[in-house]
């Protein structure tokens, strides 16, 4: 379980009691931000008596309640991804999502819509619908800003766009660096992406500096493989709190998830619906939401295929970030907490895996830090 935001002490204790009632047997690991106000004696005693081990991180981060034998998830691991759409659509979508109850928003400099997101956040904050401490805002460092001296300035630009004083989480979007101080997707005369030699290990040092300066409360990575994570951890003074990767039944990332958990790194799953509108899809590629097996399973639960897939991700303990600009779908994506998939159906959905990666980023396969050249 990963919490997108913050709870008061009473609500947090109630959540612990709810979790204890429904969780599987075995020890659990509860990870708390080091500045959390929930380290009360009552909460600590509850954890002690119910085999819930505590790990307090040195900076603000998400909560993670992770059984060591089987992941049990709850509603707090859900998030709204901010889609790449028309500016007006994005602003309204974020407003609708806040009104529906979303509090965790996944953004990125490369999406080109942070200003529109910022306008929506400003409106809802001024209306008093939410407070800043209720929100969990993520953004990402784009590939053409990996050079250490560029990290802080572009993060400050993101904060300006979002009209915020700090982020809750800042991610390195990809391990690959592109040519700096130009286009986001710099290309040569032949149309090939121009790479940079900047090492993500050096980039990470600047990310750590962003935490020290109070520009972000926690930092993480995205699209990193196991070898890259291992290499990064050897020199990191602040461990990445999450690795955001594509994750859905066609690409369930089981081995990478297990690896990340062994390093106390939370997995965030993007494209949980299989990205049916992805530009990387080719004609004839199978679409997850059209899979007859999935449709049949959805009928069993009287839910939509999308809701079943999202429930699958949440029950696996993956922080789930669906994206939509349609109001009714934003609400539908949230209506997944009134049912639970059986163990057999979770295993059945696991069997859909076919290494069906949608976000293949074929333009960067020759980069020395391209992450998809190994199994996980």
């Amino acid at each position: 379980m990963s919490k997108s935001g913050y709870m008061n002490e009473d609500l947090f204790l109630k959540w612990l009691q709810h979790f204890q009632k429904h969780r599987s047997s075995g020890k659990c690991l509860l990870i708390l931000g080091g500045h959390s106000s929930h380290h009360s004696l009552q909460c600590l005693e509850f954890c002690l008596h119910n085999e819930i081990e505590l790990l307090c991180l040195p900076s603000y981060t998400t909560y993670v309640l992770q059984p060591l034998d089987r992941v049990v998830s709850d509603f707090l691991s859900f998030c709204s991804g901010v889609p790449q759409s028309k500016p007006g659509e994005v602003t309204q979508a974020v407003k609708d999502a806040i009104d529906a109850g979303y509090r965790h928003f996944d953004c990125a400099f490369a999406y080109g819509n942070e200003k529109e997101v910022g306008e929506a956040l400003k409106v809802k904050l001024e209306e008093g619908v939410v407070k800043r401490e209720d929100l969990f805002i993520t953004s990402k460092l784009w590939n053409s800003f990996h050079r250490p001296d560029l990290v802080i300035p572009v993060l400050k630009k993101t904060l300006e766009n979002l009209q915020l004083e700090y982020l809750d989480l800042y991610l390195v979007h990809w391990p690959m660096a592109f040519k700096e101080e130009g286009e986001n997707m710099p290309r040569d005369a032949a149309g090939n992406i121009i790479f940079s030699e900047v090492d993500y290990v050096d980039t990470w040092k600047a990310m750590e500096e962003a935490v020290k300066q109070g520009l972000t409360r926690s930092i993480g990575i995205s699209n990193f493989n196991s070898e890259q994570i291992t290499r990064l951890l050897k020199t990191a003074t602040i461990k990445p709190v999450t690795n955001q990767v594509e994750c859905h039944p066609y690409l369930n990332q089981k081995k990478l998830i297990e690896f990340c958990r062994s390093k106390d790194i939370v997995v965030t799953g993007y494209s949980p619906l299989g990205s049916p509108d992805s530009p990387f899809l080719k004609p004839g590629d199978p679409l997850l939401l059209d899979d007859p097996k999935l449709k049949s399973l959805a009928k069993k639960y009287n839910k939509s295929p999308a809701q079943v897939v999202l429930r699958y991700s949440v029950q696996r303990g993956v922080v789930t970030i669906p994206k939509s600009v349609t109001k009714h779908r934003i609400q539908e994506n949230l209506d997944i907490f009134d049912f639970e998939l059986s163990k057999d159906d979770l295993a059945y959905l696991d069997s859909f895996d076919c290494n069906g990666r949608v976000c293949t980023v074929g333009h960067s396969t020759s980069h020395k830090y391209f992450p998809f050249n190994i199994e996980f």
Side-chain angles (χ1 to χ4, degrees):
M1 189 282 281
S2 172
K3 182 182 186 310
S4 305
Y6 304 95
M7 289 183 278
N8 63 39
E9 183 178 311
D10 290 340
L11 181 58
F12 182 61
L13 183 58
K14 287 179 181 178
W15 185 89
L16 281 174
Q17 293 167 340
H18 169 80
F19 172 82
Q20 175 62 20
K21 180 179 179 181
H22 295 285
R23 76 178 176 95
S24 58
S25 60
K27 290 186 176 181
C28 297
L29 175 66
L30 173 60
I31 304 176
L32 293 176
H35 299 284
S36 171
S37 62
H38 310 309
H39 302 175
S40 70
L41 181 60
Q42 189 177 12
C43 291
L44 293 176
E45 287 180 343
F46 183 90
C47 291
L48 178 64
H49 289 299
N50 290 282
E51 293 189 289
I52 300 174
E53 298 179 359
L54 287 173
L55 173 63
C56 297
L57 299 179
S59 61
Y60 278 101
T61 184
T62 51
Y63 296 110
V64 180
L65 194 46
Q66 179 180 311
L68 302 183
D69 59 339
R70 182 174 72 88
V71 172
V72 176
S73 311
D74 213 326
F75 67 97
L76 296 172
S77 65
F78 212 65
C79 159
S80 178
V82 178
Q84 293 171 278
S85 304
K86 298 175 183 178
E89 287 183 339
V90 170
T91 301
Q92 189 58 49
V94 173
K95 291 179 182 178
D96 290 341
I98 290 175
D99 289 340
Y102 291 85
R103 296 296 181 263
H104 179 179
F105 291 88
D106 183 77
C107 312
F109 183 87
Y111 298 164
N113 56 21
E114 287 183 331
K115 286 185 178 180
E116 288 72 39
V117 175
E119 285 300 318
L121 296 177
K122 178 183 178 183
V123 168
K124 291 302 174 181
L125 288 167
E126 290 179 347
E127 289 178 352
V129 176
V130 289
K131 298 178 181 179
R132 175 62 184 94
E133 57 267 28
D134 298 326
L135 298 171
F136 193 95
I137 309 299
T138 300
S139 193
K140 307 179 191 74
L141 175 76
W142 183 240
N143 306 5
S144 53
F145 298 93
H146 276 210
R147 204 175 69 203
D149 65 295
L150 299 177
V151 173
I152 298 297
V154 75
L155 172 51
K156 288 181 177 179
K157 183 62 178 177
T158 281
L159 292 173
E160 178 185 328
N161 290 339
L162 293 171
Q163 302 186 56
L164 299 174
E165 294 182 357
Y166 66 89
L167 293 177
D168 296 280
L169 175 62
Y170 196 44
L171 307 178
V172 179
H173 206 150
W174 291 89
M176 308 94 67
F178 294 168
K179 183 179 180 294
E180 301 82 13
E181 300 177 303
E183 300 293 326
N184 285 349
M185 300 289 286
R187 297 182 183 271
D188 60 22
N192 300 313
I193 296 291
I194 305 173
F195 300 145
S196 167
E197 292 297 316
V198 175
D199 190 328
Y200 58 81
V201 169
D202 295 325
T203 304
W204 190 254
K205 295 174 184 177
M207 296 284 286
E208 293 174 332
E209 180 60 29
V211 176
K212 296 172 184 177
Q213 291 188 24
L215 301 174
T216 182
R217 290 182 165 183
S218 54
I219 49 178
I221 50 181
S222 181
N223 299 298
F224 276 54
N225 64 38
S226 59
E227 292 179 358
Q228 291 166 337
I229 294 170
T230 298
R231 181 169 177 260
L232 182 64
L233 291 177
K234 288 180 179 179
T235 58
T237 59
I238 300 177
K239 180 188 291 188
V241 297
T242 191
N243 185 23
Q244 184 180 124
V245 297
E246 181 180 343
C247 190
H248 46 76
Y250 282 176
L251 184 71
N252 67 35
Q253 300 278 21
K254 183 177 182 180
K255 290 185 178 180
L256 183 59
I257 290 172
E258 290 175 350
F259 172 83
C260 287
R261 287 182 179 146
S262 74
K263 305 296 182 183
D264 294 328
I265 295 173
V266 179
V267 172
T268 302
Y270 68 78
S271 298
L273 304 177
S275 288
D277 58 350
S278 171
F280 295 103
L281 284 172
K282 301 182 293 294
D285 282 350
L287 298 178
L288 174 62
L289 297 183
D290 290 340
D291 192 310
K293 296 180 295 183
L294 176 60
K295 288 183 175 180
S296 177
L297 189 61
K299 287 182 180 179
K300 172 182 175 180
Y301 288 94
N302 195 29
K303 290 290 183 178
S304 71
Q307 288 172 320
V308 168
V309 168
L310 294 174
R311 183 68 205 183
Y312 164 78
S313 293
V314 170
Q315 280 188 228
R316 298 177 74 216
V318 174
V319 180
T320 308
I321 50 176
K323 299 182 181 182
S324 179
V325 296
T326 308
K327 187 174 183 178
H328 80 272
R329 286 180 179 168
I330 288 172
Q331 182 60 56
E332 179 184 285
N333 288 345
L334 199 59
D335 292 338
I336 62 169
F337 302 105
D338 57 352
F339 77 108
E340 184 171 327
L341 297 171
S342 69
K343 290 182 179 180
D344 287 344
D345 287 335
L346 285 173
Y348 180 56
L349 285 167
D350 277 341
S351 74
F352 286 22
D353 186 83
C354 56
N355 196 33
R357 189 183 303 279
V358 175
C359 191
T360 55
V361 289
H363 52 65
S364 296
T365 54
S366 62
H367 197 290
K368 65 180 179 179
Y369 295 135
F370 182 72
F372 307 144
N373 287 329
I374 65 172
E375 183 181 1
F376 68 92

